[in-house]
Amino acid sequence: MFITFEGIDGSGKSTQARLLAAHLEKLGHEVILTREPGGSVGAEEIRALVLEGDPARWSSHTELLLFTAARRDHLERVIEPGLARGAIVVCDRYVDSTRVYQGASREDLRRDVDALHALMIKREADLTVLIDMDPQIGLGRALGRGGTEDRFEEFGSAMQVTMRSAFLSLAEDFANRFITVDGNRSIEQVADDVAKRVLERLPT
Ligand code: ADP
Ligand code: TYD
């Protein structure tokens, strides 16, 4: 089973992906915890290219190609081999982030995102956990972390608001694979909710 976590910056995806992976391991499953952009050696190199430096460093189209190239490497080297041997793959962000960030932000590239996905990636998650979150709180948490991976966070709070509604509308479009959880609660409350709802969907 391929499980992805999605949501705006600072919504708690990395925290919750880690807790879910630990929970599933305790239940005896083999779990691969990974993330995008990145997750394989080559894709982590591309991660630095897309997340660091001047926000205007890449055109929207070039950026879409870089995210897709990173995903293809990650898919070939980590996700598909893991799924093939029966592991549960838990991934912090995947193509829904591209649909939202590249598809709905600076230019409307959604059709190009879907076309490139159909050509180069093809695989969708089996289950996607959307952590829904107040955009202002999310931005505060993300900026509070500091660091140099801030090309997107520099786009600011208006973008967080747009991204949040784009995620919610994706969750409606793909209602059969999305679980939306309220991220405005304690880490433990969110984790309990995520574990319960994922276990309901896990094939036995
Ligand atoms: P994301 O991966 O979505 O950007 P993180 O999991 O990295 O989010 O969380 C961002 C920051 O917020 C971290 O410092 C984390 O410890 C904190 N955090 C995560 N979830 C919660 C929560 N439910 N309540 C308060 N703080 C949280
Ligand atoms: P991430 O490290 O998950 O950031 P955060 O922990 O703040 O949520 O992702 C970094 C940024 O990359 C984030 O702002 C969203 C962006 N991104 C895209 O624009 N397109 C993509 O396809 C992916 C996977 C991420």
Side-chain angles (χ1 to χ4, degrees):
M1 190 169 203
F2 181 29
I3 304 174
T4 58
F5 278 78
E6 297 284 359
I8 58 175
D9 293 340
S11 56
K13 296 175 303 298
S14 321
T15 306
Q16 295 301 332
R18 198 169 57 242
L19 292 171
L20 177 68
H23 187 72
L24 293 172
E25 271 173 357
K26 246 192 240 158
L27 296 176
H29 296 283
E30 183 195 349
V31 181
I32 295 173
L33 175 61
T34 186
R35 68 164 181 185
E36 291 204 348
S40 61
V41 175
E44 289 290 333
E45 290 184 17
I46 299 174
R47 178 183 176 98
L49 293 176
V50 286
L51 296 190
E52 295 177 17
D54 184 348
R57 184 176 186 185
W58 306 109
S59 76
S60 304
H61 289 84
T62 309
E63 187 178 277
L64 168 59
L65 289 167
L66 287 169
F67 277 112
T68 308
R71 179 161 306 127
R72 174 77 201 201
D73 191 66
H74 185 212
L75 187 75
E76 285 175 8
R77 291 167 196 268
V78 175
I79 299 173
E80 301 221 295
L83 293 172
R85 64 169 194 269
I88 299 177
V89 177
V90 176
C91 189
D92 181 357
R93 294 195 186 277
Y94 188 62
V95 62
D96 296 314
S97 282
T98 319
R99 292 187 169 111
V100 164
Y101 286 81
Q102 281 65 51
S105 61
R106 286 177 289 168
E107 276 179 68
D108 186 4
L109 294 185
R110 179 58 196 278
R111 282 171 55 164
D112 292 349
V113 170
D114 287 333
L116 210 47
H117 181 74
L119 187 67
M120 282 295 160
I121 306 293
K122 299 184 176 76
R123 187 181 280 278
E124 291 288 348
D126 299 308
L127 192 59
T128 299
V129 181
L130 171 60
I131 308 205
D132 184 42
M133 160 101 310
D134 179 271
Q136 211 49 49
I137 299 176
L139 190 65
R141 285 187 193 164
L143 294 175
R145 269 189 318 228
T148 54
E149 293 184 336
D150 57 1
R151 277 191 64 238
F152 289 87
E153 282 148 17
E154 283 179 12
F155 289 104
S157 66
M159 173 156 152
Q160 288 271 91
V161 172
T162 310
M163 300 297 107
R164 181 203 194 177
S165 45
F167 274 122
L168 288 171
S169 87
L170 262 192
E172 281 176 23
D173 295 347
F174 295 99
N176 55 342
R177 77 173 155 85
F178 264 86
I179 294 172
T180 303
V181 302
D182 175 10
N184 300 289
R185 295 174 292 167
S186 73
I187 290 178
E188 295 72 24
Q189 282 172 321
V190 179
D192 286 349
D193 200 4
V194 169
K196 179 172 150 272
R197 295 177 68 188
V198 168
L199 289 176
E200 282 167 7
R201 304 272 201 118
L202 210 60
T204 42

